[in-house]
Amino acid sequence: MYIYYILAVLMVGLDQWTKILTVNNIELYETVEFIPGVLSWTYIQNDGAAWSILEGQMWFFYIVTSIVLVVLVYNMQKYGKGDRLFSWALTFILAGTIGNFIDRLRLQYVVDMVKLEFINFPIFNLADSLLSVGVVLLVIYVFADERKEKKKKQTG
């Protein structure tokens, strides 16, 4: 089980490293194009959630994030040992949550920088991607688990 915590720490480290590189090398609101029309790096400071929802409500993020972290660790400890997909999902969610929480505690905002040029999508960071991947894996796990249970009831 501890391997998942180690992986989460490594993911958080990578997230923080990309944010430090961004802050130290790109001016606020500056854009560096990587793949024209597809991907660029644009440094912004987001004091809200996705799409800048709840801007400036740091107390809300501190409370909710603290609760989410306790629930994640509890679930990893109690249920994560039995299923790799579930453990991976929680690991990604844990890493993403911690990555953005560190920013909020340290800076009072989250450093975002990845911009997809080909769609109208908010600028995001690695922690946001980790959260998204974790949620997708968790949804897959839930549906797969439901199918297993339904099959078990039909055959049993």
Side-chain angles (χ1 to χ4, degrees):
M1 187 73 236
Y2 292 106
I3 188 71
Y4 294 105
Y5 291 114
I6 293 167
L7 291 169
V9 168
L10 292 173
M11 290 176 196
V12 170
L14 185 59
D15 169 69
Q16 291 299 299
W17 180 69
T18 61
K19 291 172 179 177
I20 289 167
L21 280 177
T22 299
V23 170
N24 290 337
N25 294 293
I26 300 175
E27 295 295 321
L28 187 60
Y29 304 116
E30 180 184 357
T31 296
V32 176
E33 207 169 51
F34 280 114
I35 304 171
V38 178
L39 179 69
S40 66
W41 219 250
T42 301
Y43 170 33
I44 66 166
Q45 298 171 347
N46 183 359
D47 67 346
W51 292 278
S52 297
I53 297 169
L54 298 169
E55 282 183 295
Q57 303 298 317
M58 283 302 129
W59 60 270
F60 173 79
F61 292 114
Y62 296 150
I63 293 168
V64 169
T65 304
S66 298
I67 292 167
V68 166
L69 288 172
V70 168
V71 169
L72 283 169
V73 170
Y74 172 81
N75 280 291
M76 284 179 79
Q77 287 302 115
K78 184 158 182 152
Y79 305 109
K81 294 173 183 124
D83 192 288
R84 284 188 190 172
L85 181 59
F86 185 70
S87 295
W88 274 107
L90 295 186
T91 300
F92 277 90
I93 295 169
L94 180 67
T97 301
I98 292 171
N100 282 339
F101 196 41
I102 289 171
D103 282 12
R104 283 183 169 69
L105 289 171
R106 193 170 63 85
L107 305 168
Q108 302 299 302
Y109 57 83
V110 173
V111 174
D112 286 333
M113 77 291 281
V114 179
K115 184 176 183 187
L116 301 176
E117 298 288 346
F118 58 94
I119 58 173
N120 184 19
F121 195 77
I123 298 170
F124 58 96
N125 59 44
L126 181 58
D128 298 334
S129 298
L130 293 169
L131 281 163
S132 297
V133 168
V135 168
V136 168
L137 291 175
L138 190 58
V139 168
I140 291 169
Y141 169 78
V142 167
F143 282 118
D145 195 52
E146 282 182 20
R147 290 185 72 188
K148 281 187 222 172
E149 289 299 317
K150 192 183 269 188
K151 200 173 199 178
K152 196 187 291 183
K153 284 181 183 177
Q154 289 174 348
T155 58

